[in-house]
Structure formats: structure tokens, C-alpha cells
Amino acid sequence: MSAEKRLKQLGIVLDAVTPPVANYVNAVRSGQLLFLSGKGPSAVAGVRPRGKLGREFSVEQGYAFARSVGLALLAVMKSELGSLDRVTRVVKLLGMVNAEPDFADQPQVINGCSDLFVEVFGERGRHARSAVGMGSLPMGIPVEIEAVVEVAAARAAAAPAHSRARRVTAQRGASKRAAKARRR
């Protein structure tokens, strides 16, 4: 199923992409890969969550934060590509959890994003992943996630087919001219 159709089916409306908070860009494309910069959880009532998992926040709250980060990453993908249907594979996630030193449930927290990507992309959303604990994250956010996705070429596939048709036509024309020349 199309990722765009799946979003609609799930009732998900993506927010506008938030601008970077420092000297970087939201995404960089290199070949067929799109590298997405780390994003933090959405602000609630204009306030961005601050605190550590295992102290201020539970695993369930962390899961919800990671899901909101996944939505922000989807918004970046859509903004960069025009359609989520151009994502051929979610390749890798790096999930960072601002946690107390003895907190050990980073994988369950980052599942908030991983589960979302599988819901939206199906099998193409399954990915390699690291879920690690951090002593702190920028602005005290509880979760930050970055991603790498594989991307289909943008309608460039039509150009080679057109060029191929021209080559075939030119080859046929050359063959006909050669046959005509041999008959003379």
C-alpha cells in the first residue's frame, strides 16, 4: 500500500517542518540515500518537553515522544521528496534517549518511532537501528532520533526510457540505411 494512502488511513496529518536550531540542514541527499538530521519531540502547548527518562518521564511517555519525533522525520521526508511514496526503504535509525544512568529501556522508547515507520511503510519501514542512552541532549529534550532512508529516483526513470526509445529508433534507421546501401 502507498505510504501516502496509509497516512490518510491512519488519520495522520503531518505538521510543517521545523527549521534547524543551529548551523545545519534538515536533510542531505547523496545518491539514493536521504540523511535526516536528528529531531526532538514536538512541543505541547508551545512548550518543548525537557527531562530524563527514568526520572521525569516514564517509558510510555518516552515512547510517545519517539513517535512524535517519527512524525517530524516523516514531515522532513515529505518536504524533501514531495511524497513519502518515494521512500523505498527506511535504512537506519539512531535513537538517543536522555536518561538516568541506570535506565535500560532505550529500545522500548525508540520503538515509538520504529513502530510508526512500520505502520506507514510496511515492510519497507523495517530498519537497522541503534537505541542508546545519553547523559544529556540539546535543550534537555528527552529523545532525539536521526534517520537514513533510501529514495527512488524522481521521475528520472522516464528520461532513460525515452532516450532508449530514441536509440532504438536511430539504430533501426541506421540498419535500414545500411541495407539500402548494400542493395545499390
Short mmCIF file of all heavy atoms in Angstrom, two decimals, residues 172-184:
data_model
loop_
_atom_site.label_atom_id
_atom_site.label_comp_id
_atom_site.label_asym_id
_atom_site.label_seq_id
_atom_site.Cartn_x
_atom_site.Cartn_y
_atom_site.Cartn_z
N ARG A 172 17.44 1.44 -35.78
CA ARG A 172 16.62 0.89 -36.87
C ARG A 172 16.84 1.69 -38.15
O ARG A 172 16.96 1.12 -39.24
CB ARG A 172 15.14 0.93 -36.49
CG ARG A 172 14.75 -0.12 -35.51
CD ARG A 172 13.27 -0.06 -35.21
NE ARG A 172 12.94 -1.00 -34.15
CZ ARG A 172 11.95 -0.84 -33.31
NH1 ARG A 172 11.14 0.21 -33.42
NH2 ARG A 172 11.73 -1.73 -32.37
N GLY A 173 16.91 3.02 -37.98
CA GLY A 173 17.15 3.88 -39.15
C GLY A 173 18.50 3.59 -39.77
O GLY A 173 18.64 3.52 -41.00
N ALA A 174 19.52 3.40 -38.94
CA ALA A 174 20.86 3.10 -39.45
C ALA A 174 20.88 1.76 -40.15
O ALA A 174 21.51 1.59 -41.20
CB ALA A 174 21.88 3.13 -38.31
N SER A 175 20.16 0.78 -39.59
CA SER A 175 20.10 -0.56 -40.22
C SER A 175 19.42 -0.49 -41.57
O SER A 175 19.86 -1.12 -42.53
CB SER A 175 19.33 -1.53 -39.32
OG SER A 175 20.04 -1.73 -38.13
N LYS A 176 18.33 0.29 -41.65
CA LYS A 176 17.62 0.43 -42.93
C LYS A 176 18.50 1.11 -43.96
O LYS A 176 18.54 0.69 -45.12
CB LYS A 176 16.33 1.23 -42.74
CG LYS A 176 15.24 0.45 -42.04
CD LYS A 176 14.00 1.30 -41.89
CE LYS A 176 12.92 0.54 -41.13
NZ LYS A 176 11.72 1.37 -40.92
N ARG A 177 19.24 2.15 -43.55
CA ARG A 177 20.13 2.84 -44.48
C ARG A 177 21.25 1.92 -44.95
O ARG A 177 21.61 1.90 -46.13
CB ARG A 177 20.71 4.10 -43.83
CG ARG A 177 19.71 5.25 -43.73
CD ARG A 177 20.39 6.55 -43.30
NE ARG A 177 20.97 6.48 -41.97
CZ ARG A 177 20.31 6.65 -40.82
NH1 ARG A 177 19.01 6.91 -40.86
NH2 ARG A 177 20.92 6.57 -39.66
N ALA A 178 21.78 1.10 -44.04
CA ALA A 178 22.85 0.17 -44.40
C ALA A 178 22.32 -0.88 -45.39
O ALA A 178 23.01 -1.24 -46.36
CB ALA A 178 23.42 -0.50 -43.15
N ALA A 179 21.12 -1.39 -45.13
CA ALA A 179 20.53 -2.39 -46.03
C ALA A 179 20.29 -1.79 -47.41
O ALA A 179 20.55 -2.43 -48.43
CB ALA A 179 19.23 -2.93 -45.44
N LYS A 180 19.85 -0.56 -47.44
CA LYS A 180 19.58 0.13 -48.71
C LYS A 180 20.88 0.32 -49.48
O LYS A 180 20.94 0.12 -50.68
CB LYS A 180 18.90 1.47 -48.41
CG LYS A 180 18.21 2.08 -49.56
CD LYS A 180 17.51 3.35 -49.09
CE LYS A 180 16.48 3.81 -50.05
NZ LYS A 180 15.82 5.02 -49.62
N ALA A 181 21.93 0.68 -48.75
CA ALA A 181 23.24 0.90 -49.38
C ALA A 181 23.78 -0.41 -49.94
O ALA A 181 24.42 -0.41 -51.00
CB ALA A 181 24.22 1.48 -48.37
N ARG A 182 23.56 -1.53 -49.27
CA ARG A 182 24.05 -2.83 -49.75
C ARG A 182 23.33 -3.24 -51.04
O ARG A 182 23.91 -3.89 -51.91
CB ARG A 182 23.85 -3.90 -48.69
CG ARG A 182 24.89 -3.87 -47.59
CD ARG A 182 24.82 -5.10 -46.71
NE ARG A 182 23.54 -5.28 -46.07
CZ ARG A 182 23.22 -4.85 -44.83
NH1 ARG A 182 24.13 -4.24 -44.10
NH2 ARG A 182 22.02 -5.06 -44.33
N ARG A 183 22.05 -2.87 -51.16
CA ARG A 183 21.26 -3.22 -52.34
C ARG A 183 21.73 -2.44 -53.56
O ARG A 183 21.53 -2.87 -54.68
CB ARG A 183 19.78 -2.97 -52.11
CG ARG A 183 19.13 -4.08 -51.31
CD ARG A 183 17.65 -3.85 -51.17
NE ARG A 183 17.50 -3.28 -49.81
CZ ARG A 183 16.48 -2.57 -49.40
NH1 ARG A 183 15.51 -2.28 -50.21
NH2 ARG A 183 16.43 -2.13 -48.19
N ARG A 184 22.33 -1.34 -53.40
CA ARG A 184 22.76 -0.49 -54.52
C ARG A 184 23.95 -1.04 -55.17
O ARG A 184 24.77 -1.59 -55.32
CB ARG A 184 23.06 0.93 -54.06
CG ARG A 184 21.83 1.68 -53.71
CD ARG A 184 22.17 3.08 -53.36
NE ARG A 184 20.97 3.72 -52.87
CZ ARG A 184 20.98 4.83 -52.18
NH1 ARG A 184 22.09 5.42 -51.89
NH2 ARG A 184 19.88 5.34 -51.79
#
